[in-house]
């Protein structure tokens, strides 16, 4: 039995104990789009959550300050207020750039029955207005069962995804797609996700899609014989997104330079591998950093690579050749597609507060980490840039790498280099070091939103589709 592969870990804090668990997601009901039917349906698959040896514990009664978290649990815990300060988002909000008029699509297995309520509580706690979450149930989504660990795991991922997207783009509309088959290693669960995405794209729903899941390329049928058709046959949603100008994102993973080995749900391959859909040339791969912030959200040190209880996924794809937009970094990626493209917060020591009530035995505040946090954070950035541009940006790769090429001489691009840390994995696989310029630990680095958002909007608008 394969394990669920959402792309983040939850540091759920309670009773003075810090542990990690698999990422989870949230859900709610959708007005005009509810209960869509996929082109191909499959019976639900029971999957083991990706807890990677860490245990989910009960929630905390309330969120704490960073100083309190450090004193009590020896890790930093961050709020949306701190993220807004750290990523220089407040100047955009003051200018009316809040994601208004744009739609973020989040795709997760099973979803969460309490997503709207939980987002409302989360928003109120940090002084934000909430937003309505439309839920699309794709295929036979089973009733939520708090005794089913895979349901609980995915509900946590859902919650994180929705909260992080909302934290960055508070006025963006959110559509949550719940599928009835868990995404696991290999093809299982992905056909439902891809057919759901294509359906929404064809119906004009969504400007940016965030995917906090992935499967190791090596686990797809035919990989060992060089037959990549099982992956190629799933790319139709991304091709459709490119045709309709929809931006597609994916978390780069939490295994550093390696990832899950389907033979054993608690171990990774003992050599370098990569994961799809992050490795797809039509998908912007979002890696992870560690923020070092005080209680106000000001940096106490430059960002470093996420590498605690997991590590930012990155490296060369074994399926896809180097796309033309990476020709300028070919000395780093070689002749293969390299990931990630850009990175945002993902570290355990600097995890994100979220609120959840889907599990009646663990109602309250949790801290999550992993690149499942980074992808929805960046989806909010894209929504802001879409608003500035006045239209969808679509595939942002060429614009992103053009801005990166200019960034050394022009800091107004908003790209911020990350030059500290590695994504070495706990499987003993030596990864990549964050150095000056592009690297396969953090990609082009991270961002200053007040500069990056208008730069991306302008570059994409002037360079054309």
């Amino acid at each position: 039995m394969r394990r669920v592969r959402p792309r983040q870990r939850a540091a759920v804090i309670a009773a003075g104990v810090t542990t990690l668990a698999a990422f989870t997601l949230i859900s709610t009901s959708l007005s005009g789009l509810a209960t869509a039917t996929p082109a191909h349906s499959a019976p639900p698959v029971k999957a083991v959550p990706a807890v990677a040896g860490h245990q989910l514990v009960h929630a905390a009664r309330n969120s704490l300050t960073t100083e309190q978290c450090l004193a009590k649990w020896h890790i930093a815990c961050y709020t949306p207020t701190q993220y807004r300060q750290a990523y220089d988002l407040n100047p955009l909000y003051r200018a009316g750039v809040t994601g208004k008029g744009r739609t973020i699509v989040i795709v997760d297995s099973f979803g969460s029955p309490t997503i709207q309520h939980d987002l409302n509580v989360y928003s109120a706690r940090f002084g934000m207005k909430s937003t309505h979450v439309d839920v699309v149930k794709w295929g036979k989504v089973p009733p939520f069962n708090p005794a089913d660990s895979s349901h609980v795991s995915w509900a946590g991922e859902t919650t994180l995804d929705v909260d992080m997207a909302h934290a960055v783009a508070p006025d963006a509309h959110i559509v949550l797609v719940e599928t009835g088959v868990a995404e696991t290693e290999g093809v299982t669960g992905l056909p439902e996700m891809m057919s759901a995405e294509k359906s929404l794209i064809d119906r004009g729903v969504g400007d940016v899609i965030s995917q906090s899941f992935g499967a190791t390329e090596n686990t797809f049928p035919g990989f060992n014989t060089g037959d990549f058709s099982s992956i190629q046959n799933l790319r139709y949603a991304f091709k459709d997104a490119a045709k309709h100008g929809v931006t597609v994102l994916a978390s780069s993973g939490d295994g550093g330079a390696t990832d899950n080995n389907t033979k054993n749900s608690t171990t990774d391959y003992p050599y370098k591998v990569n994961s799809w859909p992050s490795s797809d040339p039509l998908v912007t791969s979002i890696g992870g950093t560690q923020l070092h912030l005080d209680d106000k959200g000001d940096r106490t040190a430059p960002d470093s690579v996420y590498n605690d209880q997991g590590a930012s996924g990155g490296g060369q794809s074994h399926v896809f050749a180097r796309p033309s937009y990476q020709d300028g970094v070919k000395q780093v990626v070689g002749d293969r597609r390299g990931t990630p493209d850009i990175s945002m917060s993902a570290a355990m020591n600097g995890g994100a507060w979220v609120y959840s009530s889907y599990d009646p035995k663990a109602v309250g505040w949790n801290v999550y980490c992993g690149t499942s946090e980074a992808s929805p954070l960046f989806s909010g950035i894209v929504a802001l840039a879409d608003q500035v541009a006045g239209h969808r940006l679509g595939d942002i790769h060429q614009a992103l790498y053009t801005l990166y090429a200019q960034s050394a001489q022009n800091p107004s691009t908003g790209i911020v280099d990350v030059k500290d840390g590695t994504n070495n994995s706990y499987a003993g696989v030596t990864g990549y070091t964050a150095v000056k310029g592009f690297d396969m630990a953090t990609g082009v680095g991270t961002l200053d939103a007040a500069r990056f958002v208008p730069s991306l909007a302008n570059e994409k608008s002037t360079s054309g589709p």
Side-chain angles (χ1 to χ4, degrees):
M1 187 177 294
R2 297 168 181 172
R3 68 170 179 164
V4 173
R5 293 298 291 167
R7 284 308 197 184
Q8 85 208 20
R9 305 182 189 275
V12 185
I13 300 182
V17 179
T18 302
T19 63
L20 296 181
F23 341 133
T24 51
L25 328 176
I26 16 187
S27 100
T28 224
S29 70
L30 169 62
S31 38
L33 300 172
T35 317
T37 302
H40 306 285
S41 61
V45 175
K46 183 174 175 61
V48 180
V51 294
H54 301 290
Q55 183 180 7
L56 181 67
V57 300
H58 287 78
R61 295 181 183 176
N62 205 346
S63 60
L64 304 181
T65 67
T66 297
E67 185 177 350
Q68 290 170 329
C69 286
L70 288 169
K72 191 168 186 178
W73 298 304
H74 309 294
I75 63 168
C77 312
Y78 297 145
T79 70
T81 304
Q82 289 169 286
Y83 287 138
R84 291 173 168 195
Q85 177 67 17
Y87 288 116
D88 200 17
L89 285 158
N90 292 314
L92 294 172
Y93 300 153
R94 290 194 291 268
V97 180
T98 58
K100 188 175 183 178
R102 315 317 301 184
T103 298
I104 298 170
V105 173
I106 292 169
V107 184
D108 285 309
S109 300
F110 307 136
S112 162
T114 58
I115 186 59
Q116 187 68 63
H117 169 267
D118 295 348
L119 180 63
N120 293 346
V121 173
Y122 173 82
S123 300
R125 173 67 180 87
F126 300 115
M128 303 183 294
K129 62 180 180 180
S130 192
T131 190
H132 179 66
V133 182
D134 278 333
V135 173
V136 176
K137 292 186 180 294
W138 190 255
K140 281 189 166 185
V141 180
F144 182 78
N145 180 4
D148 188 324
S149 58
S150 63
H151 285 203
V152 171
S153 173
W154 279 100
E157 176 61 62
T158 302
T159 305
L160 177 66
D161 290 351
V162 172
D163 284 2
M164 294 303 100
H166 180 62
V168 173
D171 286 334
H173 180 53
I174 296 177
V175 174
L176 171 65
V177 181
E178 302 174 356
T179 65
V181 180
E183 184 275 312
T184 62
E185 286 298 334
V187 172
T188 305
L190 292 171
E192 289 71 24
M193 290 174 159
M194 296 303 105
S195 62
E197 291 180 16
K198 185 179 187 303
S199 177
L200 292 185
I201 293 166
D202 288 343
R203 293 152 66 189
V205 178
D207 302 303
V208 54
I209 299 173
S210 180
Q211 304 171 116
S212 291
F213 54 81
T216 309
E217 291 176 335
N218 307 52
T219 64
F220 283 83
F223 178 89
N224 292 332
T225 61
D227 176 7
F228 304 139
S229 60
S230 59
I231 290 179
Q232 295 290 349
N233 291 339
L234 289 169
R235 302 186 68 222
Y236 60 87
F238 305 152
K239 295 176 182 178
D240 199 42
K243 189 183 306 181
H244 288 81
V246 176
T247 308
V248 183
L249 315 176
S251 304
S252 70
D254 300 296
T258 185
D259 213 330
N260 182 232
N261 183 340
T262 189
K263 294 179 181 178
N264 186 327
S265 64
T266 63
T267 63
D268 291 336
Y269 283 95
Y271 47 81
K272 293 178 180 178
V273 300
N274 210 317
S275 300
W276 189 86
S278 168
S279 65
D280 198 292
L282 293 174
V283 173
T284 302
S285 173
I286 313 301
T289 59
Q290 180 177 3
L291 294 174
H292 307 278
L293 308 177
D294 62 19
D295 278 334
K296 295 180 180 179
D298 292 323
R299 281 177 171 78
T300 58
D303 298 4
S304 51
V305 180
Y306 150 49
N307 195 345
D308 59 353
Q309 303 297 339
S312 178
Q316 293 176 311
S317 169
H318 295 283
V319 174
F320 299 102
R322 184 185 71 240
S324 60
Y325 57 77
Q326 287 193 320
D327 285 349
V329 294
K330 62 182 179 182
Q331 71 278 10
V332 179
V333 302
D335 62 355
R336 313 306 303 169
R337 158 71 162 134
T339 63
D341 293 306
I342 193 167
S343 299
M344 294 190 77
S345 180
M348 167 70 178
N349 187 5
W353 281 109
V354 302
Y355 176 86
S356 65
S357 62
Y358 52 81
D359 183 352
K361 295 181 179 179
V363 175
W365 292 90
N366 313 306
V367 175
Y368 280 77
C369 70
T371 57
S372 278
E373 173 192 352
S375 181
L377 284 172
F378 194 78
S379 74
I381 296 293
V382 174
L384 300 179
D386 281 351
Q387 182 187 352
V388 171
H391 57 79
R392 293 173 176 169
L393 297 185
D395 188 340
I396 65 170
H397 282 112
Q398 190 57 60
L400 178 63
Y401 282 90
T402 298
L403 292 176
Y404 161 70
Q406 301 168 355
S407 62
Q409 286 75 38
N410 183 11
S412 67
T413 61
I415 290 179
V416 179
D417 199 8
V418 176
K419 299 177 284 188
D420 178 65
T422 70
N423 67 347
N424 293 338
S425 80
Y426 289 95
V429 177
T430 300
Y432 303 93
T433 300
V435 296
K436 183 177 180 180
F438 181 89
D439 53 69
M440 289 188 286
T442 62
V444 302
T446 190
L447 59 92
D448 176 313
R451 296 179 173 186
F452 179 76
V453 165
S455 295
L456 181 63
N458 181 67
E459 178 60 36
K460 182 61 182 174
S461 296
T462 56
S463 62

